[in-house]
């Protein structure tokens, strides 16, 4: 027991697990914070513009779900802010002056976002239709700007820049270089696209289930079509972006790239491993494509790829198999979702209709879960691949972790609480949708959420769309 | 070495943000406390609805002030942030627990269909409203008494379990209840609810007197445990302390004479809270951690501080108008507030809200408070034991 505790504490494992699980949880809700407003506003726009009652009803219902998710997102985000200090005082105490900056801007943007979320969700009833629509636009803009800022903080950990160290103390900070470090453009673009994919595929998936069960009315077709279109636009961009990032990582963080691709020695003609488990330096159960990794990294089989032998063992990331398989999973899902989008796109182009064959709808219903898996896997690649550094090549995780006792306790509490929160954020929308389906129409408007319209009455509503 | 003007500027911003959070966040926590004390489901229905209606649209926005405090601290004063977060790991984690439980309670409460479930989630929400301000108070007390070392080797239990820290914790709880009750008087007044105006006036007066008593006790404690801060409060910051006391008494007088002008009440209560926070900030000066870490030694390089000014400027340019919009819309009742699920079902003519069924026996408020306080103290003891045992190993 004592030995186990010692081993755990030595690698900062409880703190790392707590950070990873809180982030992995928050990021899913954050995706909704970034992208759900855009999906909802699209439906509302169609609703107002065309006087489409079904689209309007969708928008109203989505905004109720958004209310629950945003509330949980705000709470889990606050947990993260505390954790940056509670778990990593060695990072914040030394580099807070630099990494803290993007977070300050995040604060502004999320503040604005929170305010307009309040206006939008509460304004359904009494604000004029277009005024209400416009009150949602700032949520979209500030959601994206907020995501840019917070991801810039993560990018800084991968490509630290914009500060001068003297005797281990920061003496000068250049905020612009901190914010726009080498990794920022790649990570932020990839993440914002991921947020749109996760949200839109998840929402579309819900209505794909409805379509599968034979509910083919306009309400379900729009409920599937609107988010699926948005997701379908993001999917090809995301795969292109991913390809660009991989080449950037090969150059910027070669050891991370080596772990992603099982490159043990620096050579040319490096094969590309698909799948496979690394045990004692051998790859089992994988298939390799000769020289393909070199081609991907530099468009030629003669490209030299740096392996992890370039740094001493203590500076190599742990869990190489996890990193590699996570990367493969992300890429695999990326192509899977791209194929789904292309299939529907093709069908729409030639037939102007939704695909309703189960061969399409079943995978489409799973698309949301797949997108979440791809995103989580991507973050595992980024974060575990950066180990053992918390700030790449500047500060080790072990030198940043808190000396305070009790992290195992807080880890346990966090895991338990997040289990509950997960049930809340999945269960509440499910209960709501069941009531929507079963309840008498009058009850529809009595749903209560942390924010949100309490009654239909005036304003744009499903039954009496207000078109200008 | 004296602090740079930039450092003083950002410290000023920090104090403003803390005061804002104390006011708005405090009022939200206080709402939860009054919810806890509102009695049985039937008797407490009216005040609970008012609380709900006034907190619901704004609580998330109010809550972001806390995030700003953290962000400002870690960017502008990183060593102080790291020291506080390490030494006060336990109370900070507990205040965080309160925040999470509150969120869960809030999210669930309105969707919980049955009364029983609503009570459980409501209780969660209300209990969390006690935990968070208490431990935040303990943290402030620990910092003020100079018990947070610059380079802590781990948790410092003595820092936040000192009498001053505990007293400050209770003071924060009472102050939240006080501010909230005053705001609720104003809300009730605006809705022309005479009964609720009376209801919260009485409670505001009681909480105000309690807050005053606790503040007096804490002040006496500080003279022994925190000489630097005490000297500041009775010296440089004396005018602010006097303003705070005067405003506090003025509010009580207004409530007593039933001069319930909504804006007048709100502003006077705000002055009482803001000036005491200012007083505390001024009294600590020039220290971030009295008396071991000065502002000069603990602040970030100029570039970061200037960037924080830009953030503050953006806040004034963008957030303030947006915030004003939210409040104006809410005050004009353009944003429709929540009613409980049961009410709405009744209004919609579906189902029954089964009114005359008080599920919990009405327990006297006083015994509940006492029980809660005893529970809090026992919990602290228990935690202290657990962690100090761990430390010895
Ligand atoms: C829906 C989600 C999703 C999808 C379909 C993809 N990715 Fe991704 N990926 C992410 C979601 C994501 C992410 C979670 O958003 C990450 C984590 C950090 C980041 O900036 O984005 C990420 C990181 C990430 C990284 C590491 C960046 C770093 O360490 O800084 C690489 C190299 C790729 N991705 C490459 C790809 C490729 C080649 C893909 C497709 C063929 C792909 N991604 C699809
Ligand atoms: C912008 C946002 C992010 C920031 C600032 C951030 C910051 C951090 C920090 C400070 C650590 C601890 C130090 C370390 O272990 O290197 C960490 C670890 C980790 N983070 Fe992130 N992170 C971010 C986003 C994410 C997201 C969205 C995920 C999603 C799953 C994630 C997953 C992890 C994991 C799994 C670890 C543990 C890695 C390990 O110890 O092997 N991170 N992150
Ligand atoms: C890639 C990583 C992250 C992204 C994309 C992200 C995004 C978001 C979004 C969109 C929200 C708004 C709440 C919602 O609408 O659901 C949010 C809330 C929040 N996030 Fe994150 N977040 C990330 C990581 C972090 C990290 C590492 C921290 C802390 C250091 C953090 C702190 C917060 C805070 C404090 C809030 C609450 C603000 C509010 O009340 O609106 N986030 N985050």
């Amino acid at each position: 027991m004592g030995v186990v505790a010692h081993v755990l504490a030595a690698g900062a494992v409880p703190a790392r697990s707590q950070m990873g699980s809180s982030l992995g949880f928050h990021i899913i809700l954050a995706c909704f914070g970034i992208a759900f407003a855009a999906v909802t506003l699209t439906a509302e726009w169609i609703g107002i513009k065309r006087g489409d009652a079904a689209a309007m009803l969708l928008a109203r219902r989505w905004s109720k779900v958004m209310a629950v998710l945003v509330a949980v997102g705000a709470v889990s985000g606050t947990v993260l802010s505390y954790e940056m200090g509670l778990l990593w005082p060695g990072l914040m105490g030394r580099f807070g002056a630099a990494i803290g900056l993007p977070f300050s801007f995040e604060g502004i943007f999320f503040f604005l976002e929170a305010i307009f979320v309040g206006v939008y969700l509460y304004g359904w009833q009494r604000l004029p239709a277009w005024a209400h629509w416009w009150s949602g636009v700032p949520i979209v803009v500030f959601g994206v700007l907020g995501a840019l800022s917070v991801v810039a903080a993560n990018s800084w950990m991968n490509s630290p820049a914009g500060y001068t160290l003297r005797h281990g103390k920061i003496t000068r900070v250049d905020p612009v270089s901190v914010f726009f470090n080498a990794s920022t453009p790649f990570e932020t673009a990839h993440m914002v696209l991921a947020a749109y994919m996760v949200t839109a595929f998840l929402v579309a998936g819900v209505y794909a289930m409805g379509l599968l069960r034979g509910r083919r009315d306009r309400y379900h077709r729009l409920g599937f079509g609107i988010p699926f279109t948005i997701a379908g636009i993001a999917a090809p961009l995301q795969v292109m972006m991913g390809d660009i990032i991989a080449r950037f990582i090969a150059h910027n963080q070669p050891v991370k790239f080596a772990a992603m691709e099982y490159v043990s020695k620096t050579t040319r003609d490096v094969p590309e491993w698909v799948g496979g488990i690394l045990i004692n330096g051998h790859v089992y159960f994988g298939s390799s494509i000769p020289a393909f990794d070199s081609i991907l990294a530099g468009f030629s089989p003669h490209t030299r790829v740096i392996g992890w032998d370039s740094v001493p063992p203590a500076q190599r990331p742990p869990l190489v198999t996890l990193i590699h398989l996570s990367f493969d999973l992300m890429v695999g899902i990326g192509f899977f979702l791209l194929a789904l989008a292309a299939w529907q796109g093709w069908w729409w182009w030639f037939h102007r209709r939704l695909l309703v064959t189960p061969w399409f709808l079943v995978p489409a219903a799973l698309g949301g879960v797949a997108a979440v898996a791809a995103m989580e896997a991507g973050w595992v690649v980024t974060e575990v691949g950066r180990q053992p550094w918390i700030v790449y090549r500047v500060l080790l995780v072990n030198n940043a972790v808190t000396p305070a006792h009790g992290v195992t306790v807080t880890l346990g509490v966090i895991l338990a609480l997040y289990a509950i929160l997960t049930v809340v954020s999945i269960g509440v929308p499910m209960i709501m949708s069941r009531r929507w389906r079963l309840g008498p129409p009058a009850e529809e408007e009595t749903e209560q959420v942390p924010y949100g319209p309490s009654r239909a009455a005036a304003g744009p509503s499903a039954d009496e769309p207000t078109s200008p | 070495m004296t602090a740079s003007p930039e450092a003083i500027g950002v410290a000023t911003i920090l104090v403003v943000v803390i005061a804002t959070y104390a006011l708005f966040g405090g009022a939200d926590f206080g709402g939860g406390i009054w919810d806890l004390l509102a009695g049985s489901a039937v008797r407490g229905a009216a005040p609970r609805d008012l609380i709900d209606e006034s907190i619901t649209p704004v609580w998330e926005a109010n809550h972001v002030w806390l995030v700003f405090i953290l962000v400002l601290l870690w960017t502008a004063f990183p060593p102080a942030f790291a020291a506080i977060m390490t030494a006060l790991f336990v109370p900070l984690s507990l205040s965080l627990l309160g925040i999470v439980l509150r969120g869960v309670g809030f999210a669930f409460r309105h969707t919980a269909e049955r009364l029983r479930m609503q009570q459980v989630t409501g209780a969660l929400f209300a209990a969390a409203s006690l935990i968070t301000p208490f431990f935040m108070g303990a943290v402030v007390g620990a910092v003020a008494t100079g018990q947070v070392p610059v380079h802590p080797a781990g948790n410092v239990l003595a820092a936040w379990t000192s009498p001053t820290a505990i007293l400050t914790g209770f003071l924060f709880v009472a102050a939240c209840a006080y501010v909230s009750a005053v705001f609720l008087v104003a809300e009730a007044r605006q809705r022309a609810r005479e009964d609720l105006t009376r209801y919260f006036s009485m409670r505001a007066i009681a909480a105000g007197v309690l807050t005053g008593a606790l503040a007096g006790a804490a002040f006496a404690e500080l003279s022994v445990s925190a000489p630097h801060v005490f000297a500041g409060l009775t010296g440089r910051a004396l005018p602010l302390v006097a303003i705070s006391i005067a405003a506090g008494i003025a509010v009580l007088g207004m409530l007593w004479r039933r001069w319930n002008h909504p804006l007048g009440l709100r502003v006077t209560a705000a002055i009482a809270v803001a000036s005491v926070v200012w007083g505390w900030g001024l009294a600590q000066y020039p220290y971030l951690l009295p008396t071991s870490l000065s502002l000069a030694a603990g602040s970030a390089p100029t570039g970061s501080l200037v960037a924080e000014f830009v953030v503050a400027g953006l806040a004034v340019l963008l957030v303030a108008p947006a915030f004003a919009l939210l409040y104006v819309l809410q005050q004009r009742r353009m944003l429709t507030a929540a009613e409980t699920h049961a009410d709405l079902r009744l209004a919609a003519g579906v189902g029954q809200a089964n009114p005359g069924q008080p599920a919990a026996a009405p327990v006297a408020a006083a015994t509940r408070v006492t029980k809660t306080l005893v529970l809090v103290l026992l919990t602290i003891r228990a935690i202290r034991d657990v962690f100090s045992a761990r430390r010895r190993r």
Side-chain angles (χ1 to χ4, degrees):
Chain A
M1 182 64 206
V3 177
V4 174
H6 189 77
V7 170
L8 285 179
V13 170
R16 285 161 60 189
S17 314
Q18 184 175 336
M19 196 71 204
S21 39
S22 335
L23 280 159
F25 180 88
H26 175 71
I27 194 71
I28 301 177
L29 296 152
C31 287
F32 280 89
I34 297 163
F36 207 4
V39 178
T40 308
L41 283 180
T42 311
E44 193 184 356
W45 193 80
I46 293 174
I48 302 176
K49 197 84 183 167
R50 302 204 192 139
D52 189 326
M56 212 58 168
L57 185 61
L58 281 169
R60 287 183 74 107
R61 288 179 171 176
W62 287 345
S63 70
K64 289 181 186 182
V65 176
M66 176 154 70
V68 176
L69 296 180
V70 165
V72 183
V75 171
S76 63
T78 311
V79 173
L80 286 174
S81 300
Y82 266 78
E83 282 177 349
M84 290 303 284
L86 287 175
L87 301 177
W88 314 106
L91 168 69
M92 300 318 285
R94 245 164 285 179
F95 293 103
I99 194 178
L101 288 172
F103 283 121
S104 314
F105 286 90
E106 180 217 8
I108 295 279
F109 294 131
F110 286 153
F111 207 159
L112 287 163
E113 192 188 340
I115 292 170
F116 283 99
V117 162
V119 175
Y120 183 76
L121 293 163
Y122 268 105
W124 271 111
Q125 200 173 314
R126 304 222 173 131
L127 289 178
W130 281 110
H132 181 255
W133 191 85
W134 279 104
S135 78
V137 172
I139 311 179
V140 178
V141 177
F142 294 128
V144 169
L145 289 178
L148 294 186
S149 322
V150 74
V151 175
N154 186 274
S155 307
W156 184 87
M157 289 162 55
N158 283 317
S159 305
Y163 65 93
T164 314
L165 268 188
R166 197 171 301 152
H167 308 302
K169 213 176 159 253
I170 287 200
T171 52
R172 200 189 57 84
V173 172
D174 170 12
V176 177
S177 316
V178 168
F179 209 101
F180 300 101
N181 59 70
S183 295
T184 305
F186 302 97
E187 273 197 45
T188 51
H190 204 52
M191 180 61 223
V192 170
L193 285 171
Y196 273 84
M197 285 178 74
V198 164
T199 307
F201 273 120
L202 274 174
V203 177
V206 171
Y207 294 88
M209 305 248 273
L211 291 170
L212 267 175
R213 294 204 184 119
R215 299 191 200 100
R216 301 275 162 84
D217 48 10
R218 181 164 179 76
Y219 175 80
H220 281 86
R221 275 181 290 127
L222 275 176
F224 177 78
I226 293 171
F228 195 84
T229 308
I230 295 174
I233 295 171
L237 296 175
Q238 181 72 317
V239 171
M240 271 158 47
M241 196 63 222
D243 177 53
I244 296 172
I245 297 188
R247 233 165 291 120
F248 166 74
I249 295 291
H251 163 78
N252 190 54
Q253 292 178 306
V255 180
K256 184 191 271 185
F257 188 77
M260 280 155 54
E261 302 284 27
Y262 286 158
V263 188
S264 53
K265 278 203 268 309
T266 309
T267 48
R268 295 169 205 279
D269 292 310
V270 179
E272 167 82 19
W273 283 100
V274 177
I277 298 170
L278 186 78
I279 301 169
N280 294 329
H282 283 278
V283 183
Y284 296 93
F285 311 118
S287 48
S288 70
I289 310 169
F292 196 54
D293 196 41
S294 286
I295 294 176
L296 283 178
F299 304 115
S300 143
H302 300 299
T303 311
R304 220 168 72 106
V305 181
I306 297 175
W308 61 67
D309 64 344
S310 58
V311 293
Q315 292 185 15
R316 298 175 194 166
L319 309 172
V320 174
T321 302
L322 175 71
I323 298 173
H324 172 74
L325 290 181
S326 299
F327 183 64
D328 281 3
L329 182 70
M330 169 170 64
V331 175
I333 292 175
F335 280 109
F336 161 69
L337 294 173
L338 176 63
L340 271 185
W343 187 3
Q344 173 64 68
W346 169 277
W347 197 256
W348 184 260
W349 185 260
F350 289 108
H351 303 274
R352 296 282 144 189
R353 256 186 295 130
L354 273 187
L355 272 167
V356 285
T357 149
W359 292 105
F360 171 74
L361 286 177
V362 171
L366 295 173
V369 181
V372 172
M375 181 193 59
E376 298 283 357
W379 277 106
V380 168
V381 173
T382 304
E383 303 287 293
V384 183
R386 190 188 57 238
Q387 304 297 318
W389 303 102
I390 191 167
V391 181
Y392 193 58
R393 291 198 176 141
V394 176
L395 182 67
L396 288 168
V397 171
N398 283 346
N399 295 337
V401 70
T402 181
H405 295 269
V407 178
T408 31
V409 179
T410 53
L411 172 63
V413 173
I414 284 276
L415 290 179
L417 275 175
Y418 278 4
I420 299 174
L421 276 179
T422 308
V423 173
V424 174
S425 16
I426 297 177
V428 168
M430 264 171 57
I431 293 173
M432 283 202 266
S433 84
R434 215 184 29 236
R435 281 188 214 156
W436 286 335
R437 246 182 296 123
L438 301 180
E443 210 190 339
E444 150 84 6
E445 309 308 337
T446 67
E447 294 309 331
Q448 282 307 304
V449 283
Y451 320 84
S454 44
R455 268 165 302 181
S461 93
D463 326 297
E464 35 186 28
T466 28
S467 46
Chain B
M1 196 165 71
T2 51
S4 66
E6 290 90 353
I8 296 176
V10 176
T12 312
I13 297 174
L14 181 62
V15 173
V16 171
V17 176
I18 293 178
T20 316
Y21 181 61
L23 199 62
F24 292 119
D28 287 358
F29 287 124
I33 297 171
W34 293 122
D35 186 309
L36 184 68
L37 299 178
S40 73
V42 175
R43 210 156 48 88
R48 283 204 177 99
D49 281 351
L50 182 69
I51 293 168
D52 206 55
E53 212 171 308
S54 51
I55 295 182
T56 306
V58 290
W59 78 276
E60 199 205 354
N62 286 347
H63 173 91
V64 183
W65 293 110
L66 170 63
V67 175
F68 265 119
I69 297 175
L70 293 171
V71 166
L72 271 172
L73 255 179
W74 80 41
T75 311
F77 312 110
F81 176 74
I84 293 170
M85 282 296 189
T86 310
L88 303 176
F89 183 87
V90 177
L92 284 166
S93 298
L94 286 167
S95 74
L96 179 59
L97 179 70
I99 290 171
V100 176
L101 289 181
R102 224 171 107 87
V104 180
F106 214 92
F108 232 157
R109 185 175 190 189
H110 293 281
T111 18
E113 194 154 8
R114 274 168 300 144
L115 189 63
R116 184 85 219 133
M117 199 57 204
Q118 279 191 354
Q119 279 176 333
V120 172
T121 51
L124 207 62
F125 169 70
S129 305
L130 276 177
I131 298 175
T132 307
F134 177 80
F135 286 106
M136 285 180 173
V139 166
V140 170
V143 172
T145 48
Q147 298 259 34
V148 176
V150 186
H151 297 290
N155 311 323
V156 183
L157 294 151
W160 61 277
T161 48
S162 74
T164 313
I166 301 287
L167 208 52
T168 321
F170 286 130
L171 173 61
F172 270 44
V173 174
C176 287
Y178 164 68
V179 175
S180 160
V182 175
F183 279 21
L184 284 165
V185 170
E187 291 275 346
R189 187 55 208 260
Q190 275 172 331
R191 290 174 169 76
R193 292 287 303 264
E194 261 323 299
D195 53 333
L196 288 176
T197 312
R198 290 268 329 259
Y199 179 98
F200 283 112
S201 293
M202 277 155 52
R203 280 158 179 78
I205 293 172
V209 171
L210 181 65
T211 309
L214 283 170
F219 198 61
E221 264 292 321
L222 282 176
S223 68
V224 190
S225 59
H228 178 81
V229 173
F230 186 78
L233 285 174
T234 49
R236 200 182 314 130
L238 192 59
L240 285 166
V241 175
I243 292 176
S244 175
I245 295 173
I249 293 175
V251 171
L252 292 187
M254 281 153 81
L255 290 172
W256 189 252
R257 303 293 308 274
R258 304 218 184 142
W259 187 75
N260 297 325
H261 186 273
L263 190 64
L265 274 178
R266 282 205 176 94
V267 170
T268 323
I271 292 174
V273 173
S275 52
V276 79
V277 174
W278 271 100
W280 167 57
L282 204 58
Q284 274 215 174
Y285 185 82
Y287 292 107
L288 288 165
L289 300 174
T291 50
S292 52
L293 184 67
S294 70
L295 200 56
S299 42
T302 316
S304 308
L305 298 174
V306 170
E308 292 307 306
F309 281 115
V310 174
V311 170
L314 276 179
V316 173
L317 280 179
L318 295 175
V319 177
F323 213 49
L325 177 74
L326 181 69
Y327 265 92
V328 167
L329 286 178
Q330 197 212 351
Q331 295 299 319
R332 295 221 184 131
R333 314 194 59 189
M334 292 293 277
L335 309 180
T336 35
E339 293 163 55
T340 60
H341 192 57
D343 285 347
L344 283 159
R345 303 193 83 178
L346 211 61
V350 278
Q352 281 153 357
N354 62 348
Q357 278 203 11
V363 185
T367 49
R368 270 206 218 183
V369 176
T370 328
K371 274 191 204 160
T372 318
L373 295 190
V374 170
L375 208 68
V376 169
L377 286 174
L378 285 178
T379 319
I380 293 176
R381 280 274 322 257
I383 293 164
R384 203 179 164 157
D385 289 350
V386 169
F387 281 91
S388 51
R390 191 176 288 248
R391 238 153 86 88
R392 271 196 296 278
R393 245 193 295 130

